[in-house]
Amino acid sequence: MTGRRAVEKSTTPTPASGSTKRAPQGRGTRRTPGLDDEPELIQLLTPAGERIDHPDYPLEVTPQEARSLYRDLVLVRRVDAEGTALQRQGELGLWASLLGQEAAQIGSGRALRPDDFAFPTYREHGVAWCKGVPPVNLLGMFRGVNNGGWDPNENNFNLYTIVIGSQALHAVGYAMGIQRDGADSAVIAYFGDGASSQGDVLESFVFGASYNAPVVFFCQNNQWAISEPVERQFRVPLYKRAAGFGFPGVRVDGNDVLACLAVTRAALAHARSGQGPMLIEAYTYRMGAHTTSDDPTKYRSDEEVESWREKDPIQRLRAYLDKQDLADAEFYAEVDREADELAAQIRAACLALPDPSPTSMFDHVYADAHAQITEERAFLADYLAGFDGQEG
Amino acid sequence: MAQVTLAKAINAGLRRAMEQDPKVLLMGEDIGKLGGVFRVTEGLQKDFGPDRVIDTPLAESGIIGTALGLALRGYRPVCEIQFDGFVFPAFDQITTQVAKFRARSLGTVRMPMVIRIPFGGGIGAVEHHSESPETLFAHTAGLRVMACSNPLDGYWMIQQAIASDDPVIFFEPKRRYWEKAELDLPATEPAAPFDRARIVRPGTDLTLAAHGPMVRTCLDAAKAAEAEGRSLEVVDLRSISPLDTDAVAESVGRTGRLVVVHEAPVFLGLGAELAAKITERCFYRLESPVLRVGGFHTPYPPSRIEEVYLPDLDRVLEAVDRAFAF
Ligand SMILES: Cc1ncc(C[n+]2csc(CCOP(=O)(O)OP(=O)(O)O)c2C)c(N)n1
C-alpha cells in the first residue's frame, strides 16, 4: 500500500541539515543558515531527463502515457501564453500565468479521477485542463465579463478563488460531505506558498486532521508570493508543517511531472482509504510575473530566474522521451500543431465572449424573488432607457 | 510647487510621519522592495529599513492582530491592506478587538493604529479589488473612518491619522492615485482638521456630498451643471465616522437641496445616514427630498459593466434633475 508507506516515510522528521549541504542554486543569500536545508525532493526524473525510482512512489508509465503527459504540458503552456498575449493586446484585463508550474499542475491533475473535486486558486489553468474544463471558461473573469462563470459541479472543478486561502476550508468541507456520503472520492485543495500563512489554510489543516477528511492539500511552492519570498511565510520547509497537524507531508519536485503524478496518486489513495489528509509541497518556480500587472524585476534577480530555466518541466520530459526513444520529430510537430490550433481556438473564443448586459448584475444574486433587486433593476433599466436615441 | 500625484503625496506624508516619530512603523504585504502594489510605500524600506517598513506574511488577521500588540507596546503601526476585498480576513481583529480596546480598558490604553485601504472601483480589476466597505467599519464604534480625495488631503490626512490616538481606517481612492495637484511639500498647510468636511466648490442651488473617488465625479458634474445654469456646491466629507453633519447641514441650509453620492451600495449606506440626519435638521429648509446615488444591491459586477454600477456624471446629474423637479 503506497499510501501507508508514504505516511510512515514522510512523518519521519528529516534531520536538520549539516553544513555539508549546498544551498539551493541562486537562493543562498536569502536562506537562514542551518534552518533551510537543501530541498529533499521526491524525484522520478532528473533535470537531465534520467528516470530514477523512488521506493515509496513507484510509477509505471506506458510510452503512450508519457507522450500524453508531454502533450498536456505543451498545450497548457500554450493556453497560458495565449492568455498573456490576449492581456497584452487588451483583450483581458489581467492574466495569472502558470509558466514554470505546468508539471505540478498536470502531474497532480492527471492523478485525479473525474469524481475527485478540485479547489483551485486563480492560476490552476493546467488542473482545469485535466478536469476537462473548456479553457474559455477561464477567460471570463480575467476579461471582466463575469466573476467566475461556470458550474463547479460540471467538471468537479471549483470556481477560481481570488481571496487567498479561502478555498482550503471549502475543500475540507466538501471532503467531509464525501465522508458522510460514504463515497470513495477525494478532494484536492490548491494553494500557494504565500497562502500557507493565512488563517484559513491553517484552520483547514485543523479541520482536515480533526475529521480525518479525505483531502489532499497541494501547495505549489513557486518561491514567491508577489514580492515576498518563502522565507517570509515559513522558516521550516512547508511540507514539515503537516507533522504538527498530525498528517503526513511530502515535498515533491514540482518540475517533475512523473513525480507529481505518483505522489498525488499516493496521497489520493491515502485519503480515499480513510487515512485522512496529506500535504504535498510541490517545489517549483513561477517563471513569469505574479500577474500581468506585476513587475518582478523590482524584487528578484535574473540569475535566480535563469537557474530555474534549466529545470524546465517540459524540457525535462522531452529529454526523457528522447533518451528512451519514445517520441519522434513527427510527434513533436503534431503536438506543436495542436497547440497552435488550441491557441487559435482560445483567441477566437475570447473575442467572442460577449459583454454582459448592464442589468445582468442583478441576475442570480438570489434564488427567490427579492424586492430590492427588482426595484433597483427597474430603476437601472429605466435610467438606461433614457439614453435611447441619444448619441453615445 | 510641483505636480504631485495622490500616491506620491501619501508616500510623502508617510515619510514625514516616520521622520518625525520613530515609533511609526509600516506593515503590510509587498510594501518593502516592491513599494506596495500601488507603489505608495515606494522607497521607504530603503530609507527606513526593514524593521520600520515591515514586509509581513500573507495574513491580514495576522497583520492587524500583531499591529494591536505593537500599539499596546507604544508603537504607531500603519498597516496596508492590499485591496479593499482583502480586509475581511482582518475584519474580526478590527471590529472585535482594535475598535473596542480603548473602551474596554476604561481609556487607559491608546490604540494609535492606521489601516490604509485602497478602495473603490473604476480600474477594470477582477473581483474583490473594487469594493467600498466603508460603512461596515463606520457602523463599528471606536474606529475613525476617513477617505481622502486629493493629493493635498492625502498628504495631510495620513499624517493626521497617524498622529491620532484612535484607530483610523484610512480609505484611499485607488482610481485617483495617479491624479495630480500642484503641491509645495512639505510647506503646504493642511486644508482642515481630519474630522471635518470641506466645501471644495461653492454653489447656491444644490449640495452634492461625496467622499473619496466620487468627489472628482461630483466636481465634474457641478461643472457640467453650471453650463446648464445650475450652481452646485460640492462638499468633500473626508471623515465618514465621525460624520461632519454640521458642515452638510450648513450647506443645505443655503442651497435647500442635497444629493449624496458614493460608490458603495445605496441600501443602508452613508447616504441613508445623511438623508436621515439632514431631513431631521433641515426639514423646513429642504425644497426636495434628499436623494442618493450609489452602487446597487448586487455583488460588485464584472469590470466590463462596472461603469454602469459606478455613479458617473450622468447618474449624478439625473439625480440633480430629479431634485429640481420636485
Ligand atoms: C486575502 C488576500 N490578501 C491579499 C491578496 C492579494 N494577493 C493576490 S495573490 C497574492 C500572493 C499569493 O501568493 P501565493 O499564495 O504564494 O500564490 P501564487 O500567486 O504565488 O501562486 C496576494 C498577496 C489576496 N488575493 N487575498
Side-chain angles (χ1 to χ4, degrees):
Chain A
M1 249 178 57
T2 323
R4 173 52 59 209
R5 292 207 50 202
V7 185
E8 284 159 5
K9 172 75 178 183
S10 51
T11 40
T12 313
T14 316
S17 72
S19 55
T20 49
K21 297 208 172 173
R22 205 167 38 83
Q25 265 187 321
R27 300 180 52 79
T29 49
R30 287 206 319 270
R31 295 282 175 198
T32 311
L35 277 174
D36 205 347
D37 42 342
E38 165 88 354
E40 287 178 27
L41 305 169
I42 292 162
Q43 218 173 44
L44 299 184
L45 268 185
T46 68
E50 299 290 348
R51 183 76 166 82
I52 44 181
D53 280 328
H54 191 286
D56 298 324
Y57 301 98
L59 182 75
E60 298 281 344
V61 276
T62 64
Q64 166 63 26
E65 281 167 340
R67 280 193 296 270
S68 166
L69 288 169
Y70 176 85
R71 174 178 172 271
D72 283 338
L73 294 174
V74 171
L75 294 190
V76 301
R77 179 167 289 184
R78 194 56 153 268
V79 169
D80 186 66
E82 200 57 29
T84 302
L86 285 164
Q87 194 281 333
R88 295 281 179 250
Q89 292 154 10
E91 298 297 341
L92 299 178
L94 183 81
W95 182 248
S97 166
L98 63 54
L99 188 64
Q101 301 179 216
E102 295 88 351
Q105 296 194 15
I106 297 300
S108 60
R110 283 293 170 220
L112 299 171
R113 293 195 321 218
D115 60 328
D116 293 334
F117 205 107
F119 285 82
T121 63
Y122 42 75
R123 203 190 288 286
E124 271 69 75
H125 321 314
V127 183
W129 172 257
C130 296
K131 290 300 267 173
V133 175
V136 63
N137 286 11
L138 309 177
L139 301 177
M141 184 178 74
F142 292 111
R143 188 168 166 87
V145 303
N146 60 47
N147 284 332
W150 65 84
D151 173 2
N153 290 309
E154 201 161 300
N155 295 289
N156 287 345
F157 184 78
N158 193 44
L159 296 170
Y160 273 177
T161 307
I162 297 280
V163 178
I164 300 294
S166 284
Q167 76 283 0
L169 282 167
H170 313 158
V172 172
Y174 195 96
M176 289 162 66
I178 289 177
Q179 226 172 12
R180 276 158 183 70
D181 294 344
D184 84 328
S185 22
V187 174
I188 187 162
Y190 288 90
F191 55 89
D193 42 293
S196 72
S197 292
Q198 280 290 5
D200 276 6
V201 170
L202 297 166
E203 290 179 29
S204 78
F205 290 177
V206 172
F207 275 70
S210 173
Y211 296 107
N212 211 40
V215 59
V216 175
F217 298 110
F218 194 94
C219 176
Q220 287 170 84
N221 175 359
N222 66 10
Q223 314 298 329
W224 292 94
I226 310 188
S227 75
E228 311 261 15
V230 289
E231 290 83 355
R232 182 56 68 209
Q233 319 295 343
F234 39 80
R235 295 192 78 180
V236 166
L238 177 73
Y239 73 101
K240 292 189 183 173
R241 206 183 265 184
F245 287 88
F247 51 86
V250 290
R251 186 185 250 176
V252 60
D253 186 332
N255 287 19
D256 173 351
V257 69
L258 299 187
C260 290
L261 175 66
V263 170
T264 311
R265 258 190 203 157
L268 290 165
H270 176 80
R272 283 202 180 92
S273 61
Q275 297 176 82
M278 195 163 149
L279 170 65
I280 299 172
E281 175 189 356
Y283 199 80
T284 181
Y285 197 76
R286 144 163 79 71
M287 293 301 293
H290 169 70
T291 65
T292 43
S293 1
D294 176 39
D295 175 9
T297 61
K298 290 224 172 226
Y299 53 81
R300 69 182 190 185
S301 69
D302 292 346
E303 194 192 358
E304 175 182 302
V305 180
E306 283 317 308
S307 76
W308 278 89
R309 208 177 294 285
E310 292 155 22
K311 301 177 189 163
D312 182 74
I314 298 187
Q315 286 317 314
R316 185 181 304 198
L317 186 62
R318 186 167 175 153
Y320 166 72
L321 292 176
D322 289 343
K323 274 191 181 57
Q324 304 290 316
D325 224 3
L326 299 177
D328 54 14
E330 201 181 317
F331 167 75
Y332 294 125
E334 171 60 21
V335 172
D336 288 345
R337 198 192 51 71
E338 226 187 309
D340 288 345
E341 230 168 61
L342 180 62
Q345 268 170 30
I346 288 166
R347 167 164 298 265
C350 179
L351 303 184
L353 281 175
D355 278 358
S357 85
T359 53
S360 66
M361 69 175 93
F362 298 98
D363 296 344
H364 315 302
V365 183
Y366 296 97
D368 298 321
H370 187 285
Q372 214 157 303
I373 288 273
T374 311
E375 184 192 324
E376 292 194 4
R377 181 203 288 270
F379 165 83
L380 181 61
D382 194 45
Y383 170 75
L384 292 173
F387 289 91
D388 282 355
Q390 288 181 24
E391 263 309 294
Chain B
M1 290 276 205
Q3 287 278 319
V4 182
T5 62
L6 173 63
K8 283 260 157 52
I10 298 171
N11 177 282
L14 291 168
R15 175 179 292 279
R16 191 148 173 272
M18 294 185 78
E19 280 164 359
Q20 290 181 346
D21 183 352
K23 296 287 189 189
V24 174
L25 305 176
L26 309 190
M27 308 171 66
E29 297 157 11
D30 302 296
I31 67 168
K33 263 194 192 164
L34 190 64
V37 292
F38 291 107
R39 309 292 186 262
V40 173
T41 55
E42 188 139 59
L44 297 176
Q45 190 180 61
K46 193 168 122 275
D47 296 341
F48 294 95
D51 286 342
R52 290 194 64 200
V53 179
I54 306 169
D55 262 326
T56 65
L58 208 179
E60 286 77 10
S61 182
I63 294 170
I64 304 302
T66 55
L68 186 152
L70 281 158
L72 208 50
R73 180 71 193 178
Y75 285 88
R76 305 185 91 86
V78 181
C79 305
E80 173 173 305
I81 298 292
Q82 205 157 73
F83 279 90
D84 35 66
F86 308 144
V87 71
F88 298 106
F91 195 73
D92 167 38
Q93 286 288 343
I94 297 172
T95 56
T96 70
Q97 305 303 320
V98 173
K100 297 173 167 51
F101 219 100
R102 184 184 181 86
R104 292 176 60 224
S105 70
L106 305 181
T108 58
V109 168
R110 297 176 307 155
M111 209 27 76
M113 184 191 303
V114 178
I115 301 168
R116 297 181 34 240
I117 309 178
F119 83 122
I123 63 161
V126 296
E127 62 167 357
H128 309 300
H129 290 73
S130 305
E131 291 165 23
S132 301
E134 52 270 31
T135 49
L136 296 177
F137 296 99
H139 204 70
T140 303
L143 302 172
R144 287 178 183 271
V145 182
M146 59 183 67
C148 60
S149 70
N150 62 71
L152 176 66
D153 273 350
Y155 177 70
W156 280 113
M157 285 171 72
I158 190 66
Q159 293 182 64
Q160 292 164 327
I162 294 170
S164 169
D165 280 342
D166 289 322
V168 177
I169 314 288
F170 191 82
F171 284 104
E172 300 170 5
K174 66 171 85 84
R175 74 159 124 160
R176 307 293 183 209
Y177 270 145
W178 303 279
E179 285 187 9
K180 292 180 180 164
E182 286 282 324
L183 282 190
D184 193 4
L185 302 176
T188 326
E189 288 297 305
F194 75 155
D195 55 358
R196 291 295 150 73
R198 215 163 66 79
I199 294 172
V200 287
R201 179 187 168 110
T204 52
D205 302 339
L206 180 145
T207 301
L208 291 175
H211 65 275
M214 284 293 111
V215 174
R216 157 76 23 223
T217 306
C218 288
L219 286 169
D220 292 345
K223 204 165 170 196
E226 190 173 38
E228 298 167 1
R230 278 174 183 158
S231 166
L232 310 189
E233 178 150 302
V234 180
V235 178
D236 181 349
L237 296 167
R238 302 168 85 246
S239 179
I240 295 157
S241 178
L243 189 59
D244 188 357
T245 5
D246 286 349
V248 183
E250 200 186 296
S251 171
V252 174
R254 283 184 282 106
T255 63
R257 291 183 169 90
L258 174 63
V259 173
V260 191
V261 183
H262 48 68
E263 290 188 18
V266 164
F267 183 64
L268 290 176
L270 182 58
E273 176 63 31
L274 257 183
K277 275 268 164 60
I278 295 303
T279 305
E280 211 174 303
R281 292 182 56 171
C282 309
F283 189 68
Y284 292 107
R285 186 64 190 84
L286 281 171
E287 314 223 8
S288 59
V290 178
L291 298 179
R292 294 167 291 160
V293 181
F296 300 106
H297 193 64
T298 66
Y300 192 88
S303 61
R304 290 261 166 164
I305 50 169
E306 70 178 333
E307 79 278 6
V308 187
Y309 177 92
L310 294 168
D312 62 358
L313 184 142
D314 285 328
R315 282 257 298 285
V316 175
L317 291 177
E318 185 267 350
V320 168
D321 286 345
R322 275 194 284 137
F324 278 104
F326 269 96

